[in-house]
Amino acid sequence: MNHTDRAAFALALSLAACAAPAFAADAAGRRSADTTDDADLRALVRQQAEQIRELSRRLSELERRPPAGPAAADPVQAQVAAAVADTRDDELAILQAQVAQQAATGRGSGDGARMNWRKGAPEFASGDGRMTFRPRGRLLLDQTFTRGSAFAARNLSGSDLASARLGAEGEFGPLGYKVEADFAGNEVTLKDAYLSYDTRLGGHAVEFYLGNKLKDRSLDGATSGVATPFMERNAVASVGGMQSGYFGLGLSAKVFGDGWHASLAVTGDDVGNAGDASDTVAYLARAHWNPLRGGDGFVHLGGWYWYEQLGADVASINKTSPVALGWNDQVRVSASSIANVDNDRAWGAELGAVYRSGWLFGERTVRTIESDTVGEVRHKASSVYAGWLLTGEKPGFSRRSGVWTATRVLRPVDQGGIGAFELALRYDRYDFTDAARGGDGDAWTLGLNWYLNDWSRLMLNYVWWKTDNKVGAFQGPDSGRTLGLRAQVAF
């Protein structure tokens, strides 16, 4: 290949390289609309274009260098000149190959690490993208005011550090890890702490987890607390919760198909178990399906079931669900204590839809507790909730996993935009009346969310609540109002 041919070849490759990442990014965006936005793709293309320009610059410099000719009068100098020319040709070939690889794959070919901030924190990745590391954290600051109760002890106001977490996550090819510690309440508790393995079986993506992980149970129950549309999880997540808690230490697996997912898990107590008695062992299954889906939205159908063999350290179950946000422990619905329990189980059903900027979901659960003293006792709950993103964003909901995710803001405040505004309304019903002294209650919650960007938001919740407890300090019908404010950063 002569000098002119090499230059033309390099120019053609450079032009192809600059164009290919854009096409690749566009195709990738269409395939991953739930997880990647246009800003991410633009940033990726800019990064790849910089790499291509650097390679092209080096290639042009080599093209401009005159080839070393052999000196006929000196055989030694002739050999040196020939070696230099061969080295130049080899380097030229390597650079041409690198540019071609950029054009074909849209990613760097070197081993240099990359870093981006697209999720609110620095994510470090190896040159081939197979190894990653990202710090994680969250800070949730709440202020609540309760008024209107006939019991003065319920009319409380106060501030709360609802959650303060630090951790990290990363990948080594198909192997992954995540660990997070929570510092709320002046106590350190371990939350997610697991190893993962991603593979494919029968043509489907499969994920395995070993360790302490949030259980896949109900819409709100399986969602991180920083992604739910209201400050607190709904009644179904609370009433249908396991005795062993929202997290469980054990083994779980998820399989994903075209418009559906299914999961199985076997867990013990979470990492806070005292170690003085055998674990409660829980078996959990959940699945969801999108029978209708398109560019504007989808329909969600889901269901779950769990069974627990209770440990000897569980002498009784006394369920009290918060009705007016989480900080005010006095506003709760009491199920009354059930003694001599052996096992419990629950099922849940999910139905909903997302259409453009709006969403509507409903859930139902029944938990059955087996007692050697009173037989079967059932706890019931229902939740119906809807919302609308006033600024045109798509709701932060994953069709892949059937859980709430972060909302992708079209005009972030830190980029000169107004952020995203969401209006939401929820009704919750708590029914513990199957027990001899079980109470009941309900709540309406009006929420307004202002998403400043993809990882921070301000929340306002106004709750009208009613309770009718048969036990405790606040017996009989009662009602009131609770206002909650939250400032949240989560990365």
Side-chain angles (χ1 to χ4, degrees), residues 119-120 137-140 226 454-457 488-491:
K119 296 182 181 179
R138 68 172 65 174
L139 188 63
L140 277 60
V226 298
D454 291 354
W455 55 86
S456 59
R457 65 177 174 177
Q488 169 185 306
V489 174
F491 57 84

Side-chain angles (χ1 to χ4, degrees), residues 55-113:
L55 289 175
S56 299
R57 183 188 64 79
R58 293 171 59 192
L59 188 60
S60 297
E61 288 179 357
L62 284 173
E63 291 287 354
R64 288 195 296 268
R65 295 178 190 172
D74 189 343
V76 175
Q77 290 298 323
Q79 293 178 1
V80 171
V84 170
D86 290 343
T87 301
R88 173 185 173 277
D89 289 340
D90 289 344
E91 185 175 357
L92 183 63
I94 291 172
L95 286 175
Q96 288 173 338
Q98 288 176 339
V99 173
Q101 184 176 10
Q102 286 274 9
T105 65
R107 63 170 52 175
S109 60
D111 294 329

Side-chain angles (χ1 to χ4, degrees), residues 396-432:
F397 192 88
S398 170
R399 291 191 301 181
R400 185 173 188 264
S401 299
V403 296
W404 295 102
T405 60
T407 297
R408 302 301 183 189
V409 179
L410 297 177
R411 294 171 290 277
V413 171
D414 54 305
Q415 297 180 18
I418 63 171
F421 289 89
E422 181 179 37
L423 190 63
L425 180 65
R426 183 174 76 191
Y427 173 74
D428 291 309
R429 173 67 181 168
Y430 305 80
D431 184 359
F432 300 139

Side-chain angles (χ1 to χ4, degrees), residues 206-229:
V206 181
E207 300 173 354
F208 294 97
Y209 301 90
L210 178 62
N212 202 56
K213 191 179 186 305
L214 183 66
K215 297 171 182 174
D216 191 18
R217 177 192 58 81
S218 82
L219 292 175
D220 273 16
T223 295
S224 169
V226 298
T228 54

